[in-house]
Amino acid sequence: MDLAERKNLLDGVDARTRLAGSNKMEILLFSLGTRETFGINVFKVREVGRTPPITRTPNMPRGVEGLISLRGNVIPVLSLIAFLEHREHHDEYGRTMMVAEYSKRTLGFLVHEVDRIIRVDWEKVRAPENLLSTNQGLITAVTELDDGKLVSILDVEQILANAFGEAIIVDIPPANLDQDVSIFFVDDSVVARRKITEVLDKLGVRHKHATNGAEAWSRLQAIAAHADQSGSTLRDEVRLILVDAEMPEMDGYVLTRNIKGDVRFTGIPVVMHSSLSSQANHAMGKAVGVDAYVAKFDAEVLADTLRPLLER
């Protein structure tokens, strides 16, 4: 891919907000100079280009190559292959850099080359539990191309946690709630589920969770059916639903649309909690009816968003 193609690669991203609720995503394919093909959600990528000079500083975490100045902002540059179980890579690895935004943080990711953008159905994106891979802990999902080639979608939240450490949860005052108030949350990232659990425990809220949108919708339907059968109010079973945006099998946009389209869930707010923090993603959430949108991961902001919705 030449420089002109790279420049035009991400044009018109805002127009892709129409994908909200379609259970489709667009991923940018790239390689790390090995035989594997990797993918990243297009909405996380700000630009792709040649790697500028990197300033190497002492005591950088493992996998962090150094810093660059990008239009007046100093950002860290990570070598993605450093986090994977590869000892060798292509000689030209690192000459291309993707600039991505995760959780309000802008980062550079060194790669070998980028390929193209493809559109995939989330229902064809699977969790990697059954893969015998040394990189399993860093792969959040896998999908298959028309030619049978597998694409591994990296768990960037786990990579960032490995590089910089996990966010420290500060003291969060408990919410003024009855003891039986419960939240249902769904997220495919192990790191995210762990941090969400910490916040909910500090708020003093009971919680149940799922690891992808399809599982979440199945469990929520079962909870609603049980409430119908027992004659109880569903809101007594689930006070609030917290959803991730990107998830295998069913994304958070379709899950939200399903919830909002089921009268049994009337009055139960849905909060989207995502590392996709651009205005386009906020618009996508609004289009399917989310009641609030919180960018990952700021524990205080998450708690401050949930507290009034739980207490009302």
Side-chain angles (χ1 to χ4, degrees):
M1 180 176 292
D2 62 28
L3 290 174
E5 288 176 313
R6 289 196 189 102
K7 183 177 184 298
N8 296 323
L9 186 65
L10 304 174
D11 285 352
V13 165
D14 286 347
R16 296 188 175 101
T17 56
R18 65 183 180 275
L19 290 178
S22 68
N23 210 36
K24 296 179 184 292
M25 71 177 296
E26 289 185 335
I27 59 177
L28 173 62
L29 302 182
F30 65 92
S31 75
L32 298 178
T34 66
R35 296 180 180 179
E36 294 177 86
T37 299
F38 297 93
I40 184 172
N41 191 319
V42 161
F43 276 111
K44 291 181 175 176
V45 182
R46 294 291 164 260
E47 59 186 270
V48 178
R50 285 291 183 185
T51 303
I54 298 174
T55 301
R56 304 183 188 277
T57 59
N59 303 318
M60 279 289 183
R62 171 181 169 267
V64 180
E65 294 295 300
L67 304 172
I68 65 168
S69 177
L70 184 68
R71 282 180 287 283
N73 296 314
V74 177
I75 67 171
V77 177
L78 285 73
S79 174
L80 289 180
I81 204 168
F83 298 92
L84 304 177
E85 297 296 327
H86 293 295
R87 296 183 180 180
E88 298 181 0
H89 52 76
H90 196 280
D91 289 342
E92 293 193 359
Y93 169 80
R95 294 188 181 181
T96 299
M97 184 182 73
M98 301 187 303
V99 178
E101 180 183 338
Y102 276 82
S103 308
K104 299 182 179 180
R105 173 188 285 177
T106 303
L107 309 122
F109 294 136
L110 298 182
V111 301
H112 171 51
E113 62 181 3
V114 294
D115 184 2
R116 64 191 189 277
I117 291 173
I118 62 169
R119 183 172 294 185
V120 298
D121 295 322
W122 268 115
E123 62 189 19
K124 295 181 180 178
V125 180
R126 303 293 180 184
E129 285 88 356
N130 296 325
L131 289 182
L132 297 176
S133 169
T134 54
N135 297 322
Q136 182 171 333
L138 295 176
I139 296 172
T140 190
V142 175
T143 192
E144 186 175 352
L145 302 180
D146 291 340
D147 61 5
K149 181 182 293 185
L150 292 179
V151 176
S152 299
I153 300 174
L154 293 178
D155 186 347
V156 178
E157 290 170 8
Q158 182 65 63
I159 290 174
L160 295 182
N162 289 355
F164 302 111
E166 294 185 20
I168 298 175
I169 306 297
V170 297
D171 289 336
I172 294 174
N176 183 22
L177 302 168
D178 296 333
Q179 290 185 348
D180 59 351
V181 169
S182 180
I183 278 182
F184 188 95
F185 74 89
V186 53
D187 202 298
D188 65 319
S189 169
V190 174
V191 172
R193 291 198 298 272
R194 183 160 57 241
K195 306 316 289 185
I196 291 168
T197 296
E198 288 186 46
V199 171
L200 298 182
D201 287 344
K202 288 181 178 294
L203 283 172
V205 183
R206 294 168 54 229
H207 47 83
K208 301 174 182 177
H209 75 269
T211 60
N212 66 62
E215 178 194 346
W217 183 230
S218 177
R219 294 192 63 187
L220 286 168
Q221 287 179 302
I223 293 171
H226 178 265
D228 285 343
Q229 293 171 1
S230 64
S232 60
T233 301
L234 181 55
R235 194 168 181 273
D236 292 335
E237 300 285 336
V238 180
R239 184 67 61 86
L240 181 146
I241 301 169
L242 182 67
V243 303
D244 186 20
E246 297 178 280
M247 295 180 290
E249 300 186 45
M250 179 187 293
D251 67 19
Y253 303 108
V254 171
L255 176 59
T256 299
R257 188 188 63 191
N258 289 347
I259 294 167
K260 293 298 184 178
D262 190 325
V263 295
R264 295 175 297 178
F265 292 91
T266 299
I268 298 176
V270 177
V271 176
M272 183 163 282
H273 184 229
S274 174
S275 59
L276 299 169
S277 52
S278 73
Q279 288 303 311
N281 301 116
H282 284 250
M284 290 172 71
K286 185 177 180 180
V288 294
V290 298
D291 296 276
Y293 193 107
V294 182
K296 291 179 182 175
F297 186 80
D298 188 318
E300 291 185 5
V301 172
L302 178 59
D304 290 344
T305 301
L306 297 180
R307 189 180 286 107
L309 293 172
L310 292 168
E311 294 177 343
R312 73 184 185 186

